[in-house]
Amino acid sequence: MLSICLFISVCSIANAQDSFNIKGSVLDANTLKPIEGANITGTNLFAISTSTGEFFIKNIKRQTSSITVSHIGYASEIVTITTNKDIKVLLKESSTVLNEVAVTGKSNIKKAKETPMVTHTVTKEFLDKNRENSLMQTLSKIPGVSTINIGSGQSKPVIRGLGFNRVAVVQNGIKHEAQQWGNDHGLEIDQQGIENIQIIKGPASLLFGSDAIAGVVHIQPNKVPLQKSFKGEVNILGESNNDLLGISAGIRARKEKWFYRTRLTYRDYADYKVPTTKINYENYVFELHNNNLRNTAGREANASVSIGYVDNTIKTETLFSNVNAKNGFFANAHGLEVRTSKIDYDSSNRDIDLPYHNVNHFKISNNTTVNTGNHILHFDLGFQNNKREEHSEPIPHGYMPKPPNTKERVFTKNTYSLNARDAFNINNKHNVVLGVNLEHQNNTIGGWGFLIPEYSRFTAGVFGYNQYKINKNWHILAGARYDYGVLKTSAYNDWFRSTVKNEDNTTSQVYLQRAKNKTLDFKNISASFGVSHIKNNTTYKVNLGKSFRMSLANELASDGVNYHMYRFEKGNLDLKPEVAYQLDLDINHTKKQFSLGISPFLNLFENYIYLNPTSNYFETLQIYEYTQSKVFRIGGEFSASTSVIKNLELAASAEYVYSRQTSGLKKDFTLPFSPPLSGLFSASYKIKDFSVFKTPAISADYRITAAQEEIVPPEQTTDGYNVLHMSFTSKLNIFKNNAPVDVRLKLNNVFNTKYYNHTSFYRLIDVPEAGRNISVSLTIPFK
């Protein structure tokens, strides 16, 4: 039985004979780790344990004889107060209702074991310890998760070698909808303030619909603040490689039933440094000034506020958030015109010259849960406005004259979302969920550079699944889903005339049509069946799923120059939705001082969509066309950890994906951006407390990555590499009556190694990963 130990030491106040203080700490009896959020209440007094488990109450009247200690999921205990004796209290698990939350006594770890899907829970502790420049770079330490990096401040998720719209990013129940189809489009989400993320590896279309064919990054809602509480924190970050300065401040508070949270974040960074002095692109050598990758500076300003209400039957929270970022693109990534540009890209490492993009993502979402007793109803409502402007130097191309301004492309996307589901139990054996998802998108375009047409998209899906409990060790999850979608594209003609040859060998000057008015509809069925078996300390899972992904507007109807990739991209209206089948296995053995896990998978695509280079050209630019092929994929992850030696934790993980096209124009080739075999070895050693440093620890991560020689032409192979990262973390007890300050000192790429990440956007133009970087971060709590 899991329990919590509470140790309370009571001391008298020397100058006040009628009052005294209470100082205590809350610990987990099994792990001796601190417990945050325990309530300590009494007559006219209240306290909450901090992240270190500590609390402090001043000036307690001597007539106060007892306090009540409680924590969600545990039975409350009344503690008698004395001034000359430490008191030890054991709080035991309870399945009763505590305040507004119905607690079943089943932990998240237990639920994860019973669910046949392969999932990984990312805690706030992990996020704080491993935070990098973007959310996905922070998560890339998880086996099976990698990133497509676009400079130092942007990245997009890749799960088991699949990315772009094949990975759904869900925040508070609403799918994040931006221009994620673009190679150079990052993820517009503020990673500060996030407490819990669930990574689903493998097809999750059953729960989240199209775009979850490869997996899901599910950013879950934060915990509801405790009653009569007010807490906040300030996060300060500085980095040496790109001279980054960042600050984020957040507060959360609650009275009885109403609560609110708010956060402000600002980051400003300069061009980042790479361990080379020159870049070779298309046989043209670009010199780098002071190792700075020219025009990669940027800034980001984010704000969010939410208000919520909670009682015994309803919990609702409405969130308003806005993410705004301006980032420069490495000048040479936009083609060879930079050779004749008059812009002095090396005049300052902090200015943002052309080309650059400016993106603003505004979001309103509401999450409501209603508990009627037999049924739990969930509703998610969302509105998102994503506006992306891509600016570049106006230069004539082919028949296109010099553009009138710098706005190359403008995308404005509005997305409306509604999710509703009903969860209920049958005979304490069947946990049934029935639901519906509705989404409408409208995307308009602007600027002088055409790539994709304006479009609207409507999708609707209904689903149901049942998690059946055979006994406490055997669980089955089975479900099905039906989706229907309609995509409407709008006609588009060039704003300039091009010369075309007529049938009679004469020529004409015409406004070329790039897109037509077209309506396409899609429908498909997804299904999943899985079994989970728990035997002592080992969990066995097997899951078989069928999933699908709707074809996107760029895949169907693109017809223009993508200057960021220096190629002409052409869509295909005959493309069918992607359909995939996947078999997942997962074996996890966990003991107190040792854990071992392996997660192999087998994946078959009936009609994988990819951008294929052809032998045709448009005005000197090579034409790439979207096409489809059958694909076979196999791979998996391995992880192990141990803490046999006191104060020393060791961990190792490995990931591998093998892909092969079994039909089509690129038969027997792999897939683009396929990550190579990679392993990560980690060690963390806890040092004894010294001076103001409490619970200090030193960590090291050593990543070994094999060469990637399996490529799709015109991709280039990448060499293998080894890179070392180190960090120091500690808590500083420097403020009285407040939780300690968290400090982290991190040294990335210790030896300034020059290496290429095969899934990096800039790798295509001979740009290595960032060089050595020292980062210092402080998290200062207050209340």
Side-chain angles (χ1 to χ4, degrees), residues 6 13 61 116 161 196-197 202 211 317 329 340 352 439 445-446 505 585 712-713 720 726:
L6 171 69
I13 300 178
K61 302 298 181 182
N196 190 32
I197 299 176
D211 295 352
E317 184 174 10
F329 286 112
T340 59
I352 304 174
E439 185 180 87
I445 64 173
N505 289 326
L585 302 176
V712 183
M726 300 190 70

Side-chain angles (χ1 to χ4, degrees), residues 41 85 256 307 315 357 373 375 421 607 708:
T41 58
K85 182 180 177 182
E256 295 290 338
I307 185 170
K315 183 181 76 171
H357 77 184
H375 295 260
R421 63 188 186 276
N607 42 15
Q708 180 56 287

